[in-house]
Amino acid sequence: MPEHKRVHRRLSITEVAKRILFILLGAALVSVGLEIFLVPNNIIDGGIVGISIILSHLLSMKLGLFLFFLNLPFLFIGYKQIGKTFALSTLLGVAAMSVGTALLHPVEKLTRDPLLAAVFGGIILGIGVGMVIRYGGSLDGTEIVAILFNKKLPFSVGETVMFFNFFILGSAGFIFGWDRAMYSLIAYYIAFKMIDVTIQGFDESRSVWIISDRHHEIGDALLARLGRGVTYLNGEGGYTGEDKKVIFCVITRLEEAKLRSIIEDIDEAAFLAVGSINNVKGGNFKKRDIH
């Protein structure tokens, strides 16, 4: 029988409009972070943005030009490595960011304090970049290059990006002074953390794995006292070879302390493993009424 090709679901008009809106909003926030806080105080970010700020300063040309043209080669790489939708989303974001920085360039900076500029510039920049990434695009070609080099070098994508950025941020010391390079590191770290928060959201969930001979009691208690459903998985002890029941459950981080208390009340010897998860979708994750 001939193989059937998988048909990719096309985005609805509402989904496309939502994606465009949030990419434009994210790019606008990045423009604000750059032109109102970081650039006027000679503080840079990592990646192509950092290189663009340095070249703009050295050549006395508009930042938006470098942001757009330096990212263009990576759009082609992104199209080949990740796909058409990613490339188009990235093109939209980069174009909006470039125009935004040009429009905001004449606006007076909000603070002359470099620490305040680094902190608030990093926060706004990170939220903007995270928003664009969350909705399918990118504003910097560094990670695309890292993905490409990852196939040829014995380093992870994260390690390659870190190397690039430390080189770029270190270069700021020779151009803007070492105090500004240190402020740039502060801004970069804050932006990095805010990107994670924006992509993952504040409502981080926990995956819970419990092994106990009193699994049904624990499962019933979690449902009754915590309002969370559980799933029973079949397991086998690697050392004893005995059959085991594994309880799997997803909770919010605010419920973790109560979950531990419930388990200890029933079986102090129960094995418990709790891990962080960033995205929960589908199934029956809604919290039930407790009694």
Side-chain angles (χ1 to χ4, degrees), residues 26-53:
L29 288 173
V30 171
S31 302
V32 170
L34 289 173
E35 287 291 358
I36 305 299
F37 291 96
L38 300 182
V39 175
N41 289 286
N42 292 329
I43 299 171
I44 74 169
D45 186 33
I48 301 301
V49 173
I51 296 173
S52 298
I53 294 172

Side-chain angles (χ1 to χ4, degrees), residues 1 9 20 36 51 65 67 69 74 119-120 125 141 151 167 176 187 193 201 229 238 242 252 254 265 270 274 281 290:
M1 293 180 66
R9 183 180 69 88
I20 291 173
I36 305 299
I51 296 173
L65 293 174
L67 290 173
F69 287 108
F74 305 113
V119 171
F120 285 93
L125 182 77
K151 298 178 180 179
F167 175 77
F176 300 116
K193 290 299 181 182
E242 295 179 356
T252 67
L254 297 178
D265 286 346
V274 181
K281 186 177 181 181
I290 58 177

Side-chain angles (χ1 to χ4, degrees), residues 154-198:
F155 302 108
S156 68
V157 172
E159 289 170 339
T160 307
V161 170
M162 186 181 297
F163 173 78
F164 281 148
N165 286 332
F166 273 118
F167 175 77
I168 294 164
L169 293 168
S171 301
F174 296 99
I175 299 167
F176 300 116
W178 292 107
D179 62 331
R180 301 295 157 161
M182 288 185 279
Y183 284 123
S184 296
L185 279 171
I186 293 173
Y188 172 73
Y189 178 79
I190 292 172
F192 180 80
K193 290 299 181 182
M194 289 308 301
I195 290 171
D196 283 346
V197 169
T198 305

Side-chain angles (χ1 to χ4, degrees), residues 63-84:
L63 174 62
L65 293 174
F66 292 104
L67 290 173
F68 185 77
F69 287 108
L70 289 182
N71 272 301
L72 277 182
F74 305 113
L75 288 173
F76 179 75
I77 298 173
Y79 175 78
K80 292 292 186 181
Q81 294 291 322
I82 304 174
K84 179 181 177 182

Side-chain angles (χ1 to χ4, degrees), residues 24-41 43 63 67 96-105 107-111 117 120-126 128-129 139:
L24 291 176
L25 179 58
L29 288 173
V30 171
S31 302
V32 170
L34 289 173
E35 287 291 358
I36 305 299
F37 291 96
L38 300 182
V39 175
N41 289 286
I43 299 171
L63 174 62
L67 290 173
M97 176 178 63
S98 303
V99 172
T101 54
L103 294 175
L104 291 172
H105 185 69
V107 179
E108 184 68 21
K109 58 185 176 182
L110 284 185
T111 178
F120 285 93
I123 290 172
I124 295 171
L125 182 77
V129 172
L139 293 178

